[in-house]
């Protein structure tokens, strides 16, 4: 099987699976409906389009930087009448970073990857007010299982979070493990279930189905350092050029 990874990083994210009326919550990690909605929008699919091919993909996410929960006391007025709208509470994840993956047919994932590179509609992280701060693209589809590819992907956490995690654990390279949330494979026993498999994004009748989820943990893979192969610059004065002293002496004798 093939797996397509996405980097989900931004100042604010919101991934609701049970948001209703005046209280708009967020899960602690991206939902399957939110990520598949992002991919469908990148392809330019209308909201009433068939989603069966996307819903059949196995979904997983690795929490590289959990961020912090933020509550927004939201007020609004009607643009035309000026009438006050109902007050609402909206929750967000601030400074979070995730690696999301979908597993399935290589041809479909290849088309999705090309759409991510040239999206028909601008991507956002759960809500339109949450644009990504870093590129979504992490390369084309990779061969392997969803769990393998997620475990081996480079750690995407911010430098300050990596330093903080190292300090809490005792030293450089000693980082806390990362949480994995993946679709339970067929025939397996899920640890919990959530209703966030999209069946229709039609605004007249949005529909979602349940999916089983398994949890796990993995150590962050070592970050790639592009300068690791470069030789260090020697300290001290630069070495003299061949014949440099003789040339300097000859010049000195001519000037006197």
């Amino acid at each position: 099987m093939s797996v397509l990874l996405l980097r989900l990083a931004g100042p604010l994210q919101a991934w609701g699976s049970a948001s209703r009326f005046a209280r708009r919550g967020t899960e602690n990690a991206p939902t399957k409906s939110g990520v598949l909605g992002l991919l469908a929008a990148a392809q330019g699919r209308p909201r009433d389009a068939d989603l069966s091919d996307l819903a059949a993909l196995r979904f997983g996410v690795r929490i590289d930087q959990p961020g912090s929960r933020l509550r927004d006391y939201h007020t609004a007025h009607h643009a035309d009448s000026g009438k006050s709208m109902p007050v609402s509470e909206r929750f967000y994840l601030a400074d979070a970073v995730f690696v999301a993956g979908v597993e399935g047919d290589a041809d479909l994932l290849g088309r999705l990857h090309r759409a991510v590179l040239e999206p028909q509609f601008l991507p956002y992280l759960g809500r339109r007010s949450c644009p990504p701060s870093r590129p979504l693209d992490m390369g084309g589809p990779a061969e392997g299982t969803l769990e393998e590819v997620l475990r081996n992907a480079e750690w995407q956490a911010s430098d300050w979070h990596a330093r903080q995690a190292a300090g809490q654990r005792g030293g450089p390279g000693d980082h806390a493990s990362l949480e994995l949330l993946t679709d339970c494979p067929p025939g397996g026993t899920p640890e919990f279930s959530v209703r966030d498999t999209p069946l229709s994004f039609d605004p007249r009748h949005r529909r979602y189905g349940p999916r089983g989820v398994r949890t796990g943990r993995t150590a962050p893979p070592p970050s790639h350092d592009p300068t690791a192969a470069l030789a260090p610059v020697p300290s001290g004065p630069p070495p003299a050029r061949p014949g440099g002293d003789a040339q300097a002496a000859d010049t000195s004798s001519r000037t006197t």
Side-chain angles (χ1 to χ4, degrees), residues 5-6 22 28 35 39 43 48 83 86 96 110 123 139 151 180 202 216 218 220 230 256:
L5 296 182
L6 299 175
N28 293 328
V35 173
L39 293 172
Q43 286 191 306
D48 58 356
K83 181 180 178 180
R151 291 179 189 277
L180 290 175
D202 190 332
T218 184
L230 301 178
T256 58

Side-chain angles (χ1 to χ4, degrees), residues 61 151 177-182 191 214-218:
V61 62
R151 291 179 189 277
S177 60
L178 309 179
E179 186 174 6
L180 290 175
L181 303 170
T182 58
E191 297 180 31
R214 277 187 171 177
T215 65
R217 304 199 74 87
T218 184

Side-chain angles (χ1 to χ4, degrees), residues 247-256:
Q247 292 176 359
D250 181 64
T251 303
S252 176
S253 64
R254 289 200 303 270
T255 55
T256 58

Side-chain angles (χ1 to χ4, degrees), residues 74-90:
H74 191 86
T75 62
H77 291 79
H78 194 278
D80 296 326
S81 66
K83 181 180 178 180
S84 296
M85 305 298 289
V87 173
S88 65
E89 286 183 299
R90 302 192 182 194

Side-chain angles (χ1 to χ4, degrees), residues 26-171:
T26 179
E27 301 295 324
N28 293 328
T31 58
K32 185 172 185 176
S33 61
V35 173
L36 294 188
L38 184 155
L39 293 172
Q43 286 191 306
R45 299 193 189 197
R47 286 188 172 271
D48 58 356
D50 179 31
L51 300 174
S52 57
D53 57 340
L54 297 182
L57 298 172
R58 277 195 74 212
F59 172 73
V61 62
R62 192 182 73 188
I63 302 178
D64 282 23
Q65 183 173 315
S68 58
R69 192 172 293 269
L70 182 149
R71 172 181 174 270
D72 177 31
Y73 181 77
H74 191 86
T75 62
H77 291 79
H78 194 278
D80 296 326
S81 66
K83 181 180 178 180
S84 296
M85 305 298 289
V87 173
S88 65
E89 286 183 299
R90 302 192 182 194
F91 293 85
Y92 300 87
L93 298 176
D95 294 326
V97 182
F98 305 98
V99 175
V102 287
E103 176 191 86
D105 177 70
D107 290 338
L108 173 58
L109 297 187
R111 295 195 298 272
L112 293 175
H113 179 239
R114 291 190 292 272
V116 169
L117 296 176
E118 297 181 357
Q120 295 295 311
F121 298 104
L122 291 177
Y124 50 84
L125 306 179
R127 292 190 189 136
R128 292 189 182 91
S129 59
C130 301
S133 61
R134 295 164 63 185
L136 301 174
D137 176 42
M138 293 183 64
E143 292 300 316
T145 67
L146 179 63
E147 290 80 2
E148 290 171 349
V149 176
L150 281 173
R151 291 179 189 277
N152 294 328
E154 185 178 347
W155 197 19
Q156 300 298 316
S158 303
D159 291 341
W160 66 265
H161 178 78
R163 291 193 299 268
Q164 185 182 70
Q168 292 174 349
R169 298 289 293 175

